[in-house]
Each structure stands twice: as C-alpha cells, then as structure tokens.
Amino acid sequence: MVIRNIQLETVCGITSRLPDNPHPEVAFAGKSNVGKSSMINALMNRKSFARISATPGKTQTINFYHINDELYLVDLPGYGYARVSEKEKEQWGKMIERYLHGSAQLRAVFLLIDIRHEPSANDKMMYRWIVDQGFHPIIIATKLDKIKRSQVQKQIKILREGLKLVPGTKIIPFSASTKQGREEIWELIEAECLGQNEPDTGDDSHRSGEDDDGE
C-alpha cells in the first residue's frame, strides 16, 4: 500500500455518534501497552501520527484514520489496564460493542497480542468476545523484535493454544521497529477492503457472514 494521504477524520468518545463513513473500515483491538499505536504508525509510514502514550489505558476514544480516501483504519481503546476503574472499563466495553454492532462498513478485525507472553485472561476474554460478535479476528503478534528468531514458532504455538483459536485463524508476527509483517497486514487489509487479490488465509481468517451488520 502506497500511502498518499492520511487524515484523522473522526474521534468518538463514549457518548459520540458513530460516523457514517463512505469507505470500508478495518479495526484494531488490543490490550493497553501492546503496541497498537506504534503498529498503526508503522502501517501509515508515520512516526507519530497515532499518539503513543507512556501511560497505558490513556486512549479512551475510537479514532478513525482515513487512508488515501478509500478506507479507514479504526483504532479501538486499549483494554485490561488495571488502574482504570471498573466503571471506565464497562464504558469502554460498551463503546467498542456499539461500534462492532453499529458500523455498516466494518470488514475485518485485527487483535494485537504480545508475542513474548502467554495470552492474558483479558486477551482470551477479548478474543472470545470478538468471535461471539460474529467476527474471526486476525491475530497480530506484536513486539517480534524482542524475541529471538528461534523462538518465534514456539511463541506462535503458545498464542494459538492459549487463545484456543478457531482453526485456520491467521497469525502475523509483527515488529514496529523493523516493519516485519507490515506488508502482510496490508495485503489482508487490501483484500478485505479493496477487493484486491486475497492471500490464502484460510476460511477463518476474517469475518464470516454478512458484511453490513457490523470490530
């Protein structure tokens, strides 16, 4: 994907109305501090377009990045940060759920998981919850540069087994530092949103069912 222009077009808070966007959307979910903003910046070839906070749990909005006037990258609030109150967690959960059900343009959901560790209880809960909403999330295993190459397949197996992934689910190892995995993510986004040649990701690598009843 050649990035010609980017615009942070809409920022939705807890009480905001979701935008009626004219182009397809792909959404990114992940635990606080999993590297979601860094990954989005890497996808957009920008160093700091998506704000990276030193304080986990800081992102409390749904951010819509309009790419090349043809699709949207949607950054969902991080989950699982212990210092956020239960009330705030519940509000964020409702906001994400409202987006998943309310977006007519949502085509695919990517779930970011730290490749270095076993999936947390929050990771497992989020994965099952997304699946229960009618999606087959694509897993992005972040912080790839933090482990040795010899450990990659072992860690991917740990993620696959820990999350109890639906057979055929795609896992993309990714590093924001080296950009490894960037092109593979874009290939999937283009296949889902722009109808370009779809890579062989298996039947369960994307959302099943209708495309328009909306992460």
Side-chain angles (χ1 to χ4, degrees):
M1 169 67 77
V2 177
I3 308 298
R4 298 187 300 276
N5 58 74
I6 304 168
Q7 182 180 0
L8 176 56
E9 189 169 284
T10 310
V11 177
C12 287
I14 292 170
T15 60
S16 301
R17 181 177 178 180
L18 292 171
D20 185 15
N21 285 329
H23 297 129
E25 302 167 2
V26 291
F28 297 90
K31 186 167 60 178
S32 298
N33 222 22
V34 75
K36 186 153 52 65
S37 295
S38 296
M39 186 218 64
I40 290 174
N41 283 327
L43 288 180
M44 298 190 299
N45 274 336
R46 301 293 189 274
K47 289 186 177 181
S48 57
F49 204 94
R51 288 173 292 181
I52 300 172
S53 174
T55 306
K58 190 73 173 177
T59 302
Q60 302 179 22
T61 56
I62 300 176
N63 300 331
F64 293 79
Y65 296 95
H66 202 183
I67 309 296
N68 293 350
D69 295 320
E70 58 184 356
L71 62 90
Y72 290 87
L73 303 186
V74 183
D75 184 8
L76 300 176
Y79 59 83
Y81 186 52
R83 294 186 186 178
V84 174
S85 71
E86 290 302 318
K87 181 179 180 180
E88 287 178 297
K89 289 178 185 177
E90 183 179 354
Q91 288 176 326
W92 294 357
K94 288 180 178 179
M95 181 166 58
I96 294 171
E97 184 174 12
R98 183 164 59 93
Y99 170 69
L100 293 182
H101 287 293
S103 171
Q105 293 285 11
L106 183 56
R107 297 293 184 265
V109 180
F110 291 82
L111 178 60
L112 280 66
I113 308 288
D114 191 327
I115 197 171
R116 299 173 296 176
H117 310 298
E118 291 187 18
S120 68
N122 282 313
D123 289 329
K124 295 174 185 178
M125 186 183 303
M126 178 58 77
Y127 173 73
R128 293 312 316 173
W129 185 75
I130 294 172
V131 170
D132 289 345
Q133 305 307 306
F135 295 87
H136 292 302
I138 300 159
I139 307 301
I140 299 178
T142 63
K143 304 183 187 287
L144 177 63
D145 54 293
K146 304 297 185 182
I147 65 172
K148 296 178 180 178
R149 184 175 297 182
S150 60
Q151 296 176 306
V152 173
Q153 292 307 313
K154 174 188 174 183
Q155 294 304 116
I156 287 177
K157 183 179 179 182
I158 288 172
L159 294 187
R160 190 176 295 279
E161 293 178 351
L163 292 171
K164 297 181 180 178
L165 295 181
V166 173
T169 297
K170 184 74 173 178
I171 299 179
I172 304 175
F174 177 81
S175 166
S177 297
T178 68
K179 305 295 192 297
Q180 184 172 339
R182 179 184 184 275
E183 294 307 314
E184 192 172 1
I185 293 170
W186 269 121
E187 285 176 6
L188 287 167
I189 292 173
E190 290 172 344
E192 294 289 348
C193 291
L194 307 178
Q196 299 184 11
N197 293 332
E198 183 170 1
D200 183 11
T201 60
D203 292 339
D204 297 306
S205 63
H206 50 74
R207 183 185 176 191
S208 65
E210 296 81 9
D211 286 334
D212 294 325
D213 61 359
E215 162 170 23

